[in-house]
Each structure stands twice: as structure tokens, then as C-alpha cells.
Amino acid sequence: AAAIQLAACTGNFFILEIFPYEPELHYEIVNHAFEKEVCHGRLTVPKLPGLGVELVHSVIHPFLVYTVK
């Protein structure tokens, strides 16, 4: 998400490498995984606030480690 935002505001940007063949869980941690939205080799820069994605807390919750003080 950060690389897409940086590429969009860089005048001499040419190519961005993506990895569309990761396990499905890799794409489920955010609400709109950019790798799944590639169309004809192009991505649309999101217009949402921040980096343009939000974490899906129900997906990442099982992987969080909590410490009790």
C-alpha cells in the first residue's frame, strides 16, 4: 500500500513489483488487497484516507500475542 502511494507521486516511476501468488491469508488481512485488483497490468491508486487499506481485525486477531501485566 505504501509503495503504491509513493509510486503515484514519483514523476519518473516506471514499474512496481507485486506478488500475486501468495497464500490467500496474505490478501485477507486488509479490506482491498491491491494484488487482487490488478487489471491488464495496472493498478488504480486508492482514494481512501491514509494508505488506502484497512486491517481486517477479525483475520489478524488470532495471530496477536497479548501479555498480561
Side-chain angles (χ1 to χ4, degrees), residues 20-51:
Y21 306 110
E22 296 288 338
E24 197 60 34
L25 182 63
H26 179 86
Y27 307 111
E28 294 174 355
I29 62 172
V30 294
N31 59 351
H32 296 288
F34 298 121
E35 294 89 346
K36 295 294 185 177
E37 297 180 5
V38 174
C39 182
H40 302 291
R42 296 180 180 256
L43 284 170
T44 302
V45 179
K47 296 181 181 358
L48 299 171
L51 296 176

Side-chain angles (χ1 to χ4, degrees), residues 24-30 55-64:
E24 197 60 34
L25 182 63
H26 179 86
Y27 307 111
E28 294 174 355
I29 62 172
V30 294
L55 287 176
V56 178
H57 295 281
S58 60
V59 175
I60 64 170
H61 183 76
F63 301 100
L64 297 177

